Amino acid sequence: MSVSESGRSSLASFFSLELLDNRYPSLHGLRVLAIVSVVQFHVTWIFAGEQGIVLDREWVASSLTVFFGMDLFFILSGFLIGSILLRSLETDGTQNLRRFYIRRISRTFPAYYVILTLLAVVTPLTAMQRSHLIWEYLYATNFISLARGDVVMFWGWSLALEEQFYLTVPLLFFVMQRLRSDRARALLLVALWSSALIMRLVLFIAKRPWTDLALYEALYFRPLTRFDTLIAGIFLAFIQNRWKEPISRFLSHPFHRALVTLPTLGCLWLLLRPWMFGKEHVQLVHIFAWGTVTSVMYIGWLLLLFHGGGFISDFLSAPIFRRVATLGYGVYLVHIPLCDHVIVPMARTLEARHVSMLLVWPLSLAALMAGSLGAGYLIHVLIEKPSLRIREWLAA
């Protein structure tokens, strides 16, 4: 190989993507759907809730009911981490915690700390933001106030929840190993999953009455009331690992697939119409929706996806989704600042020129996705890929 060819090869390698593991290709498509749903939620929330940009009220209500893209991220995280630890136990007889934590830290820490530090440096901070910054550096954002003036990266609450999950999940597997049967392990996971709902119900009843915003701030972001989707992902990984063939045989029958499909569609309907039992019961519906209903829905959909194939599976497995999903972490880190400083001014300019919001909102979403993917690509090439190289060296 000539020097010029070697240089071109090195340059191509530098700019290429370090694609996500492809063991479950259809999950890449689901990740992309989750990314889009989270971004659209924040566009509507920032436009209508913070900036006073006039949107149709029914559209705002419909957009904000699609909150459950974040729960899909949690389910997938639990499933993938559970699968990794189960595979490690089967092949090595140990969780290999050194390798586990090296992989988790190198995947998430560098980009998070770079973006957090950059925002802390370039943004004029309030006294509360300066005081709370240490909490953000410790991945404890979900323990403090998430008001705009109190925290730099309020959207870091979900990243904090996942890091807390990574910290504690080996202890869960340690306990599971010491149980005598798979049935006991499955029951433990179900009991742990249910405890988050119990915690939400206890807090809801004990501290009534609530305003909608107070309930949201008290329960939606906090670790003790929002871990159930992560446990649901582990449960899915466990039953896939232990009973994959029986599940596949069961779901090969159309009637059995319908038995799984119908409840999941009922869950989706409830999530999209939380007022279906009357406006006076919406808060109680939220208590169940914020983790319990989403877990049931996504577990059903994922089981159907894993054991079904067909058009939907093929579509979600398209190579483009793997590439976009690879940039998903960077997209999540930067999409709020880009919305604040680029998309909102653009939307206000169009609004001042009397451009219909029927055009402005989708244009804003598309522009934000494009800009976030571009920034996510730079984060991937300049931060994530070097971190992955260091990870492989440390884990070897």
Side-chain angles (χ1 to χ4, degrees):
M1 181 182 293
S2 68
V3 174
S4 61
E5 290 175 335
S6 176
R8 284 195 295 270
S9 176
S10 298
L11 194 62
S13 176
F14 176 82
F15 286 108
S16 65
L17 296 180
E18 190 83 16
L19 295 174
L20 295 175
D21 181 86
N22 205 34
R23 191 172 284 109
Y24 303 100
S26 59
L27 297 190
H28 302 314
L30 288 179
R31 282 194 187 93
V32 173
L33 292 177
I35 291 168
V36 174
S37 73
V38 169
V39 173
Q40 73 81 29
F41 180 96
H42 285 145
V43 168
T44 300
W45 176 68
I46 291 172
F47 278 22
E50 289 192 340
Q51 298 297 327
I53 296 175
V54 179
L55 298 174
D56 179 78
R57 291 181 61 184
E58 291 188 5
W59 173 254
V60 171
S62 298
S63 175
L64 295 183
T65 57
V66 187
F67 73 91
F68 41 87
M70 186 59 67
D71 284 30
L72 178 54
F73 278 123
F74 291 151
I75 289 274
L76 295 179
S77 290
F79 173 75
L80 294 171
I81 294 304
S83 298
I84 289 170
L85 291 177
L86 286 169
R87 195 159 53 245
S88 179
L89 286 169
E90 289 179 349
T91 57
D92 303 330
T94 175
Q95 296 186 61
N96 200 340
L97 293 185
R98 176 178 176 273
R99 181 175 177 83
F100 174 77
Y101 282 120
I102 287 174
R103 292 179 69 87
R104 301 285 72 73
I105 289 170
S106 60
R107 171 65 71 178
T108 58
F109 277 31
Y112 172 77
Y113 283 125
V114 167
I115 299 302
L116 175 59
T117 301
L118 181 63
L119 291 175
V121 169
V122 303
T123 305
L125 301 185
T126 66
M128 289 299 292
Q129 286 174 327
R130 287 193 294 272
S131 174
H132 287 157
L133 192 56
I134 185 61
W135 290 83
E136 296 188 71
Y137 274 104
L138 292 175
Y139 275 105
T141 310
N142 53 346
F143 285 102
I144 59 178
S145 168
L146 298 179
R148 281 282 200 163
D150 293 342
V151 65
V152 176
M153 284 179 61
F154 66 87
W155 60 102
W157 74 270
S158 61
L159 307 178
L161 181 61
E162 291 212 20
E163 294 302 330
Q164 293 151 15
F165 166 67
Y166 297 153
L167 187 64
T168 56
V169 70
L171 177 60
L172 172 59
F173 274 80
F174 177 81
V175 173
M176 288 172 60
Q177 276 184 286
R178 275 143 186 81
L179 297 178
R180 294 185 177 182
S181 68
D182 286 339
R183 178 172 294 182
R185 297 180 184 103
L187 289 174
L188 171 64
L189 290 173
V190 171
L192 189 58
W193 171 76
S194 303
S195 66
L197 173 61
I198 294 171
M199 181 67 71
R200 291 195 296 271
L201 284 169
V202 168
L203 291 174
F204 173 69
I205 294 171
K207 297 187 178 183
R208 288 185 298 181
W210 296 88
T211 65
D212 291 343
L213 181 60
L215 184 68
Y216 182 62
E217 292 176 343
L219 301 185
Y220 186 78
F221 307 101
R222 309 307 172 191
L224 292 179
T225 55
R226 287 291 279 140
F227 63 84
D228 41 355
T229 46
L230 291 159
I231 298 300
I234 294 178
F235 177 77
L236 178 62
F238 181 75
I239 63 174
Q240 273 286 103
N241 180 272
R242 293 295 192 267
W243 298 295
K244 182 177 180 179
E245 293 305 320
I247 292 173
S248 188
R249 288 195 299 270
F250 178 83
L251 291 177
S252 64
H253 196 289
F255 177 72
H256 294 159
R257 293 181 67 81
L259 287 179
V260 175
T261 301
L262 289 176
T264 66
L265 293 178
C267 290
L268 178 61
W269 183 253
L270 178 61
L271 293 172
L272 294 176
R273 293 290 182 271
W275 51 84
M276 63 188 299
F277 297 112
K279 291 185 178 180
E280 68 274 16
H281 299 303
V282 168
Q283 290 186 349
L284 186 59
V285 170
H286 286 328
I287 298 300
F288 284 86
W290 292 339
T292 306
V293 175
T294 52
S295 294
V296 173
M297 180 179 72
Y298 282 133
I299 285 178
W301 286 358
L302 287 166
L303 286 173
L304 292 169
L305 193 62
F306 290 153
H307 300 279
F311 167 76
I312 294 178
S313 179
D314 292 342
F315 173 75
L316 293 174
S317 302
I320 184 61
F321 289 134
R322 187 183 182 194
R323 303 180 73 83
V324 174
T326 298
L327 305 178
Y329 185 52
V331 169
Y332 186 73
L333 288 173
V334 302
H335 78 284
I336 296 291
L338 286 178
C339 189
D340 286 341
H341 300 292
V342 179
I343 303 302
V344 167
M346 181 192 77
R348 287 202 177 280
T349 299
L350 294 174
E351 184 183 36
R353 295 180 179 179
H354 306 291
V355 178
S356 171
M357 280 296 146
L358 290 175
L359 177 61
V360 174
W361 188 92
L363 179 62
S364 298
L365 176 59
L368 182 55
M369 282 299 306
S372 299
L373 284 169
Y377 173 75
L378 293 177
I379 290 171
H380 179 76
V381 169
L382 299 177
I383 302 173
E384 291 181 341
K385 282 182 65 176
S387 301
L388 295 177
R389 297 290 180 268
I390 296 173
R391 178 189 75 178
E392 295 307 318
W393 177 72
L394 289 174

